[in-house]
């Protein structure tokens, strides 16, 4: 009934797991370590910013792998999305949550760069920060919330991914497709 899509599924799942795990570790471990090890608010921000900046390229690659794999899975499962009851709605939910996680990730990175510039001791960064002044305390609070929204949303994606896996079981596919076909043709009778 279905063929193997190991590489596409692996890109999707590994990308999501890195996105989720990295954001959770950053919110808990990196930010927690920066709070403990930084002597001043500026030092705490510099420590956390340095860690998040190191993670950003890996996170971008993870997100790219997840999106590429997700697009591939959607392409090879269009028949299921169209025909199996419940798959279209869970796919739509997954798309909305993915968009939210992407937005939260981008917002956190923007806020992080602002805090990074404002807490930097580099003369060029100080000059840039002075050209675009921000309320650093407000930006830090917003960043702290945004950095927790990302693992919350990507965790929801892990759950929706599990639902998709359950829907792909043979005992789920046939009744789901039958129900969808029956409801689609019921208006003809």
């Amino acid at each position: 009934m279905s063929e193997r899509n190991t590489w596409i599924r692996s890109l999707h799942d590994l990308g999501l797991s890195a996105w989720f795990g990295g954001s959770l570790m950053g919110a808990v471990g990196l930010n927690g370590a920066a709070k403990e090890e930084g002597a001043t608010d500026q030092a705490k921000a510099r420590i956390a910013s340095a860690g998040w900046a190191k993670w950003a390229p890996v996170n971008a690659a993870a997100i790219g792998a997840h999106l590429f794999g997700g697009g591939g899975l959607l392409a090879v499962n269009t028949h299921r999305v169209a025909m199996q009851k419940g798959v279209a709605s869970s796919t739509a939910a997954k798309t909305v949550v993915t968009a939210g996680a992407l937005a939260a990730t981008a917002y956190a990175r923007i806020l992080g760069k602002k805090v990074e510039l404002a807490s930097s001791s580099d003369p060029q960064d100080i000059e840039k920060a002075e050209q675009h002044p921000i309320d650093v305390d407000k930006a830090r609070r917003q960043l702290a919330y945004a950095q927790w929204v990302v693992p919350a949303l990507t965790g929801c994606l892990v759950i929706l991914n599990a639902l998709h896996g359950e829907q792909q079981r043979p005992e789920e596919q046939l009744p789901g497709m039958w129900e969808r076909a029956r409801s689609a043709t019921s208006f003809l009778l």
Side-chain angles (χ1 to χ4, degrees):
M1 193 172 267
S2 64
E3 57 187 68
R4 291 179 184 239
N5 307 109
T6 305
W7 291 107
I8 292 170
R9 188 175 308 282
S10 295
L11 284 172
H12 175 269
D13 293 353
L14 286 171
L16 178 56
S17 63
W19 190 9
F20 169 72
S23 63
L24 184 60
M25 191 289 302
V28 175
L30 179 58
N31 290 348
K35 284 181 184 176
E36 287 180 16
E37 297 300 320
T40 65
D41 284 344
Q42 191 172 15
K44 293 173 188 178
R46 275 200 307 267
I47 293 168
S49 293
W52 283 106
K54 294 277 188 196
W55 173 246
V58 176
N59 196 40
I63 292 168
H66 173 68
L67 295 176
F68 184 81
L73 286 173
L74 183 59
V76 299
N77 287 296
T78 53
H79 66 285
R80 285 187 53 246
V81 174
M83 298 300 294
Q84 186 179 345
K85 185 178 181 183
V87 176
S89 59
S90 63
T91 299
K94 202 169 169 187
T95 301
V96 168
V97 175
T98 300
L102 286 168
T105 300
Y107 183 61
R109 186 66 184 134
I110 289 167
L111 287 171
K113 286 301 285 180
K114 288 179 178 183
V115 170
E116 181 182 339
L117 283 174
S119 63
S120 178
S121 58
D122 182 291
Q124 290 178 332
D125 288 347
I126 292 170
E127 186 178 318
K128 286 180 190 176
E130 288 172 355
Q131 291 172 357
H132 305 285
I134 62 165
D135 180 342
V136 178
D137 290 333
K138 181 180 176 184
R140 284 183 187 146
R141 280 191 308 277
Q142 291 172 333
L143 179 59
Y145 288 122
Q147 287 174 334
W148 277 104
V149 169
V150 176
L153 290 174
T154 53
C156 289
L157 288 173
V158 170
I159 293 166
L160 288 168
N161 194 38
L163 172 63
H164 272 190
E166 293 295 317
Q167 289 174 330
Q168 204 163 8
R169 290 178 175 208
E171 61 268 18
E172 291 286 324
Q173 286 186 29
L174 192 56
M177 288 180 182
W178 171 252
E179 180 62 31
R180 176 64 71 99
R182 193 173 64 83
S183 63
T185 58
S186 66
F187 71 92
L188 296 173
L189 302 174

